[in-house]
Amino acid sequence: MVLVSALTLRLRWIQPFVDGEGEPHTGPWAGRPVRSLYRSTSLLDRVGVAHGPSGAVTLLEVVGAAGVDVHLVLGEPEAPVGDTLTTGIAAVTRARPATGASLLPDGRPGPGLAVRTVAAFSPRPRLDIETVAFEVRSEHDLLDHARLFGLETATDADHGHFPGISSQPLAITSARQSALARFDAAGFEAAAVSTFGAAAGCAAPARPRYRARRAEVCFDRPFGFLAVHRTSRLVLAAGWVTEPDAP
């Protein structure tokens, strides 16, 4: 018996990005042309900082039009991927506090994030965002981490499982997943297909008049992403970007 489940998610940004070309100056992508995405907003708290076991983690919320948002997650350069994603998930699900940029001190309070107070012609704050377009594809054998996915007991062929599926005793013999995530100027798409095999038995300036807050965030090295249902805070998809799209 083979059971197949599929998850698809497509969303458009409330405010699209501007597509362009960039070249990071530091980190593993230094010197490489990448497909850069740019956007500005007056909502400083679209970016915030949480703290976890491996230090500060910067989170950027990109709002989708269908009740689902994507959060980009950037940890310290040497932080383990698992620590960064775990801290990000705890922050977006509100199990761990995060501080928005409007309350952060001037300086560099988080990875890839700079906050300052400047002389300006308007008191309106501004958050400048730079990230990269990406497409992530992966294949997983879920039984390699059976305990993590709650499959350890289900693989025990000495006992029957899943009585609601079959009158014959069943046990999981294979479990695989194919996943895709794509992030670009217009929106985000994610899909995952899982299969389980079961066997029987087993400007010219005047003088500025105001002081205004400015924040800049840049995702120019490997980072994580989390697709989150806005109301329930359920994480629908998660992954790690190691390679950006080329122009």
Side-chain angles (χ1 to χ4, degrees):
M1 179 183 291
V2 177
L3 304 177
V4 179
S5 69
L7 165 71
T8 59
L9 171 66
R10 292 183 177 90
L11 61 95
R12 312 289 285 182
W13 306 133
I14 293 289
Q15 179 187 358
F17 289 84
V18 175
D19 217 330
E21 183 175 335
E23 186 176 293
H25 300 295
T26 61
W29 301 340
R32 295 171 48 185
V34 300
R35 185 179 167 197
S36 294
L37 305 176
Y38 305 93
R39 200 170 83 179
S40 294
T41 176
S42 62
L43 302 176
L44 286 185
D45 288 343
R46 291 294 185 215
V47 69
V49 174
H51 290 84
S54 295
V57 172
T58 297
L59 300 101
L60 172 70
E61 180 182 26
V62 187
V63 179
V68 176
D69 307 320
V70 175
H71 298 251
L72 304 186
V73 184
L74 185 67
E76 301 288 358
E78 304 303 323
V81 171
D83 284 358
T84 299
L85 284 177
T86 299
T87 301
I89 291 171
V92 301
T93 58
R94 297 173 181 164
R96 183 183 294 273
T99 303
S102 65
L103 298 177
L104 291 171
D106 285 5
R108 296 191 171 272
L113 176 63
V115 181
R116 55 201 172 101
T117 303
V118 300
F121 297 98
S122 166
R124 189 181 180 91
R126 190 177 77 228
L127 168 62
D128 294 325
I129 301 163
E130 179 180 354
T131 185
V132 297
F134 62 83
E135 180 176 303
V136 175
R137 296 178 182 268
S138 64
E139 300 274 344
H140 306 284
D141 185 339
L142 303 182
L143 294 189
D144 286 345
H145 305 280
R147 180 180 296 239
L148 176 65
F149 293 106
L151 297 173
E152 190 172 46
T153 300
T155 59
D156 182 358
D158 293 334
H159 303 277
H161 310 283
F162 313 109
I165 296 176
S166 171
S167 60
Q168 297 293 322
L170 300 174
I172 296 295
T173 58
S174 65
R176 304 191 65 85
Q177 183 182 76
S178 299
L180 160 73
R182 183 182 294 119
F183 183 109
D184 59 23
F188 176 81
E189 176 182 1
V193 177
S194 304
T195 61
F196 298 85
C202 54
R207 176 172 295 181
R209 296 177 52 198
Y210 302 97
R211 302 286 290 174
R213 295 278 281 169
R214 296 286 186 265
E216 301 171 356
V217 63
C218 182
F219 292 80
D220 59 355
R221 55 178 172 81
F223 60 91
F225 63 88
L226 307 166
V228 181
H229 184 249
R230 190 177 306 139
T231 304
S232 67
R233 314 309 296 176
L234 179 66
V235 178
L236 304 175
W240 190 259
V241 181
T242 58
E243 293 293 330
D245 284 358

